[in-house]
Amino acid sequence: MNLKKKASAFLLEKAMEYVSGNPVEKLPKLLKWADEFDKADNWKVQRNLFHRIIDDPQNIWYQYIMGLYNDIDAGVLQTTFRNFLINAVMVGYPMQRKIEEKYDCNIPWAILMDPTSACNLHCTGCWAAEYGNKLNMTYDELDSIINQANELGTHFFLFSGGEPLVRKSDIIKLCEAHPDCQFTSFTNGTLIDEAFADEMLRVKNFIPTISVEGFEKDTDFRRGDGIFKKVERAMALLKEKKLPFGISCCYTSKNVDMIGSEEYFDQMIAWGAKFCWFFTYMPVGKEAVPELMVTASQREFMYNQIRKFRHTKPIFTLDFWNDGEYSGGCLAGGRRYLHINANGDMEPCAFVHYSDSNIREKTLLQALQSPLFKAYRKGQPFNDNHLRPCPLLDNPGALSNIIETSGAHSTDFQNPEDVHDLSGKCFNVAKNWAPVADELWNCSCSCDSCKISG
């Protein structure tokens, strides 16, 4: 890191420390100092954005920021700020782009990896439930992936599975070993107990993202009877201990009206969630239920609802598919993230179970230079309309072509799925979404239902 970046990172961390005691009083003072310091207006756009928020207590993002200070342990908030904004963004992102240019391959900003295929639940339509507890990466393998990623500038890691908290002792150990990295996991939440919450509070760099598919009826429909109440108890425990957490929602044709309702957004905020990842149902695996895929009108409904509530609800939201306009299209293939399954296979995406590289046989950098990841890089973006970002869900034939030309193989060790069969499940869905997405993309007005402004 050069001297200028070091100085900027140091100032940002000190600013965070200064504000933490009294954000209502100190944030405006800090912004005033920034105005006086930035005489050349190098940061005018950013300062104006913060003024719109900080100068207006009625602004929803003012309320969100104050909620972070009020609701989250100061040490955890400080650590999250340092690891996410400074290490992963300010320091890591420029380093990734430099290495990307040197090796002519994608370098990920985040890595999603599965410590295990084991899970204590058997959710409808979940491919992980098919694998059982047969696949696991060792602690040393997980640690090696993180070390290799750090060399590439990557400091943000997500765990999935299976149920990653089956390995919660190893996850805490990884958090201890890498205090400069930010960790999170997609979890069903049922294994979060007081002892684990206390460990989270101790290490400070782990944030769970809990899967909830609506209210009790909707969640238990997919995850099993009684799961909703267990998840609510876990969220109440985290809130009580001032630990941040988010929610992961898979919206399907059965629950989309509930997931996109104002009632549900209000409930997530009441539970104490600070962010929500939205995913649409994908028909991956032998037990997939294509009927659960949303229709074009249902996907449009989520597109509009999420954008509307970003102006009115104090919760940070990300829509994995419908936010392609902000990410410049598909994030996968290492462009911004990749997936490593519990067998060590490096996959372009959590929803694309094909690989030509295993982390036990190649380094992370070598795998990123493999034919599969090179083909992803060459094809991105897969559509000039970034509301149709996905080579599987939105662009029929794109993924099939990548898999065939790269020689990648299915990573489903029980029931390998031909890529043409997988893509065929999405053909009509993609066909129906295309005109809706094109109309949204080509809309030239600036109303909230089209594209979020600023």
Side-chain angles (χ1 to χ4, degrees):
M1 183 168 41
N2 62 36
L3 188 60
K4 185 176 180 181
K5 284 192 175 68
K6 279 185 178 180
S8 297
F10 176 79
L11 288 172
L12 274 172
E13 186 151 6
K14 290 303 175 185
M16 183 72 174
E17 291 176 5
Y18 169 77
V19 169
S20 63
N22 187 346
V24 174
E25 178 185 326
K26 292 183 177 179
L27 268 174
K29 285 184 179 179
L30 187 65
L31 190 52
K32 183 179 179 182
W33 292 341
D35 290 337
E36 293 171 355
F37 179 78
D38 187 28
K39 297 187 184 299
D41 282 341
N42 292 321
W43 303 96
K44 184 177 181 180
V45 173
Q46 291 85 348
R47 287 189 291 105
N48 286 344
L49 173 62
F50 277 104
H51 269 296
R52 290 203 301 271
I53 296 171
I54 301 304
D55 295 345
D56 179 13
Q58 301 305 312
N59 186 290
I60 201 66
W61 294 108
Y62 176 94
Q63 296 170 26
Y64 181 80
I65 290 170
M66 293 306 163
L68 294 178
Y69 282 103
N70 293 330
D71 301 340
I72 297 175
D73 175 83
V76 173
L77 191 60
Q78 180 84 11
T79 299
T80 304
F81 176 86
R82 181 184 67 244
N83 289 347
F84 188 83
L85 186 55
I86 297 176
N87 296 340
V89 177
M90 284 188 62
V91 178
Y93 185 77
M95 184 175 174
Q96 293 154 25
R97 301 291 72 78
K98 202 171 181 180
I99 296 172
E100 183 176 272
E101 184 177 349
K102 179 179 179 180
Y103 291 101
D104 188 28
C105 66
N106 286 337
I107 301 295
W109 182 76
I111 293 179
L112 173 68
M113 50 188 174
D114 302 347
T116 181
S117 64
C119 185
N120 59 326
L121 301 181
H122 196 291
C123 303
T124 301
C126 176
W127 66 82
E130 299 175 33
Y131 297 169
N133 61 0
K134 298 179 179 64
L135 305 178
N136 294 279
M137 283 196 282
T138 67
Y139 171 85
D140 287 340
E141 287 170 335
L142 296 166
D143 184 59
S144 175
I145 292 169
I146 295 168
N147 284 324
Q148 291 180 60
N150 289 169
E151 292 295 316
L152 302 177
T154 305
H155 286 81
F156 186 41
F157 301 92
L158 307 93
F159 298 111
S160 59
E163 169 49 53
L165 295 192
V166 169
R167 299 279 301 279
K168 57 187 176 183
S169 61
D170 279 337
I171 287 176
I172 290 295
K173 189 177 174 184
L174 289 167
C175 291
E176 288 179 304
H178 301 278
D180 61 339
C181 295
Q182 188 61 46
F183 297 93
T184 186
S185 72
F186 294 103
T187 171
N188 61 47
T190 60
L191 299 179
I192 296 174
D193 54 20
E194 186 156 5
F196 183 64
D198 287 340
E199 285 291 87
M200 289 171 55
L201 199 56
R202 180 176 64 83
V203 296
K204 296 179 172 46
N205 58 338
F206 177 80
I207 300 175
T209 304
I210 301 172
S211 298
V212 192
E213 266 77 47
F215 293 101
E216 186 166 14
K217 179 182 176 182
D218 305 284
T219 297
D220 287 358
F221 164 77
R222 188 168 181 225
R223 299 192 174 273
D225 291 343
I227 298 302
F228 181 79
K229 291 190 184 302
K230 290 181 180 180
V231 171
E232 280 201 315
R233 286 196 291 272
M235 292 189 290
L237 175 63
L238 295 171
K239 186 177 181 181
E240 176 189 343
K241 290 184 177 289
K242 304 192 79 171
L243 285 162
F245 68 91
I247 287 175
S248 170
C249 289
C250 176
Y251 56 90
T252 73
S253 60
K254 302 294 185 183
N255 71 3
V256 64
D257 290 336
M258 177 61 73
I259 293 293
S261 69
E262 183 170 18
E263 179 187 13
Y264 187 64
F265 272 73
D266 288 340
Q267 181 61 69
M268 290 193 292
I269 294 165
W271 280 327
K274 295 303 177 186
F275 61 92
C276 180
W277 289 80
F278 289 97
F279 300 89
T280 192
Y281 179 79
M282 294 289 284
V284 178
K286 177 185 174 183
E287 295 188 9
V289 184
E291 292 77 22
L292 289 176
M293 298 176 73
V294 295
T295 65
S297 61
Q298 288 174 326
R299 184 168 170 180
E300 182 183 20
F301 168 74
M302 288 302 297
Y303 172 94
N304 288 324
Q305 290 295 95
I306 290 171
R307 278 157 180 74
K308 178 176 70 175
F309 291 139
R310 281 173 179 161
H311 291 280
T312 60
K313 306 293 180 184
I315 184 170
F316 186 80
T317 55
L318 306 97
D319 188 323
F320 193 71
W321 276 269
N322 285 346
D323 280 342
E325 62 186 292
Y326 308 126
S327 60
C330 174
L331 294 166
R335 178 173 168 262
R336 292 295 177 267
Y337 104 106
L338 57 85
H339 180 234
I340 305 175
N341 71 18
N343 192 47
D345 298 311
M346 252 181 72
E347 301 170 340
C349 179
F351 302 97
V352 176
H353 295 179
Y354 299 89
S355 178
D356 63 356
S357 302
N358 191 286
I359 204 69
R360 292 163 179 162
E361 300 166 354
K362 295 181 181 180
T363 67
L364 185 58
L365 183 57
Q366 287 171 340
L368 286 162
Q369 295 173 295
S370 72
L372 176 59
F373 282 81
K374 284 280 195 177
Y376 248 79
R377 178 175 170 83
K378 183 178 179 181
Q380 290 167 325
F382 296 105
N383 199 303
D384 290 336
N385 179 346
H386 297 328
L387 295 177
R388 298 167 61 190
C390 182
L392 172 58
L393 182 64
D394 301 318
N395 298 281
L399 181 64
S400 301
N401 183 60
I402 288 174
I403 300 305
E404 287 183 339
T405 58
S406 67
H409 60 87
S410 171
T411 56
D412 189 323
F413 78 102
Q414 287 186 326
N415 299 289
E417 187 169 21
D418 183 272
V419 68
H420 294 284
D421 293 338
L422 173 62
S423 296
K425 298 175 190 176
C426 301
F427 182 83
N428 286 332
V429 172
K431 180 181 177 182
N432 294 335
W433 172 244
V436 179
D438 288 346
E439 184 176 354
L440 290 169
W441 184 252
N442 293 323
C443 182
S444 61
C445 73
S446 59
C447 60
D448 290 345
S449 63
C450 298
K451 296 177 182 176
I452 193 168
S453 59

